[in-house]
Amino acid sequence: MSKKAFIFDLDGVIVDTAKYHYLAWQKIAQALHINFTHEHNELLKGVSRVRSLDIILELGNVKASQEDKEKWLIQKNEEYLSYLVDMDESEILPGVLNILKLLKEKNQGIALGSASKNARPILEKTGILSYFDAIVDGNDVSNAKPDPEVFLKAAQLLKIDSKNAIVFEDSVAGIQAANSAEMTSVGIGEETILHEADYIFKDFTQITTTFINDLISQ
């Protein structure tokens, strides 16, 4: 059986920490009198923390010094981390654990490719760190998605050619990054949003053993 690289995004794919990011950003936005909705939050998917703040400031047409930006970035991260304190395996999204177990049984390369700078503690708290052979997060890359750097580094760490890599993503930027790297892209979410993906599933409960086997044998 051939060995492939299966690369997972974190937020919105493995765990639903997107809701905590939203709450933390909303608190910052409210303090700046900026209206920040769930629809606006879609613009931040797969985007770095620095760029996310810039997008929120643009929404409110707010000009800020670098000093203020750095202060708000720290506040946002502290707020976000406060939500993670009580995380456990119940936070893992439906079907994800079954796929990770299946890939492990089939001796496939498993990596994380995420913009999050808190990826490792989240994987530890949810009890799934041991499934990952490689982790590339926001601390390891200089270019945010849709730049493919995070996924290319993950495939490199697994010592597998990028054309033999499969990426699971819930963001448009992430799908574009995977496609740019000539990897197979699997969208997790809405087809209307992730239509650029090679395959799309609403969640991991829809992904079958047959589908995984087909990806491995391709």
Side-chain angles (χ1 to χ4, degrees):
M1 184 176 282
S2 61
K3 188 163 184 174
K4 298 290 176 72
F6 286 83
I7 307 171
F8 294 76
D9 178 40
L10 181 64
D11 297 337
V13 173
I14 293 175
V15 289
D16 187 18
T17 47
K19 61 190 176 188
Y20 301 138
H21 283 294
Y22 172 66
L23 291 171
W25 280 127
Q26 191 180 50
K27 195 161 186 178
I28 296 294
Q30 283 174 343
L32 297 172
H33 307 291
I34 297 171
N35 181 37
F36 182 64
T37 66
H38 282 287
E39 288 71 28
H40 294 143
N41 194 50
E42 287 293 317
L43 301 171
L44 310 190
K45 278 192 173 181
V47 175
S48 71
R49 195 185 307 166
V50 172
R51 179 59 191 140
S52 293
L53 177 60
D54 285 339
I55 290 170
I56 290 170
L57 295 177
E58 286 165 14
L59 287 170
N61 197 26
V62 173
K63 306 294 181 188
S65 67
Q66 192 58 38
E67 187 180 354
D68 280 337
K69 286 183 180 182
E70 286 172 8
K71 178 184 70 178
W72 296 330
L73 287 170
I74 291 169
Q75 287 175 354
K76 184 269 170 182
N77 196 48
E78 288 174 348
E79 185 72 20
Y80 171 68
L81 290 174
S82 72
Y83 292 115
L84 304 187
V85 172
D86 299 322
M87 278 192 88
D88 57 27
E89 64 180 29
S90 68
E91 295 272 2
I92 301 170
L93 289 168
V96 172
L97 205 50
N98 290 338
I99 298 300
L100 289 175
K101 286 177 180 175
L102 178 63
L103 293 174
K104 211 65 173 171
E105 286 167 9
K106 294 183 176 295
N107 195 34
Q108 296 300 301
I110 304 174
L112 189 85
S114 169
S116 172
K117 291 191 175 184
N118 302 297
R120 284 173 178 82
I122 289 172
L123 294 178
E124 284 174 1
K125 282 181 173 292
T126 52
I128 56 174
L129 182 63
S130 61
Y131 283 98
F132 293 86
D133 305 302
I135 295 172
V136 183
D137 64 17
N139 298 296
D140 306 311
V141 295
S142 50
N143 299 305
K145 303 167 190 174
D147 189 285
E149 181 186 10
V150 66
F151 297 143
L152 291 171
K153 280 197 171 185
Q156 191 176 32
L157 286 173
L158 293 174
K159 296 181 171 60
I160 293 174
D161 188 273
S162 59
K163 289 183 180 178
N164 289 318
I166 297 98
V167 172
F168 296 95
E169 260 287 355
D170 74 320
S171 73
V172 173
I175 295 298
Q176 290 172 343
N179 292 344
S180 178
E182 298 185 334
M183 298 176 173
T184 300
S185 55
V186 182
I188 304 297
E190 299 299 328
E191 189 171 351
T192 51
I193 296 170
L194 305 175
H195 56 85
E196 293 177 57
D198 295 316
Y199 304 95
I200 303 168
F201 297 92
K202 191 159 185 65
D203 57 41
F204 277 89
T205 63
Q206 295 186 346
I207 297 179
T208 63
T209 302
T210 302
F211 176 73
I212 296 296
N213 286 337
D214 286 346
L215 289 175
I216 294 170
S217 61
Q218 281 176 8

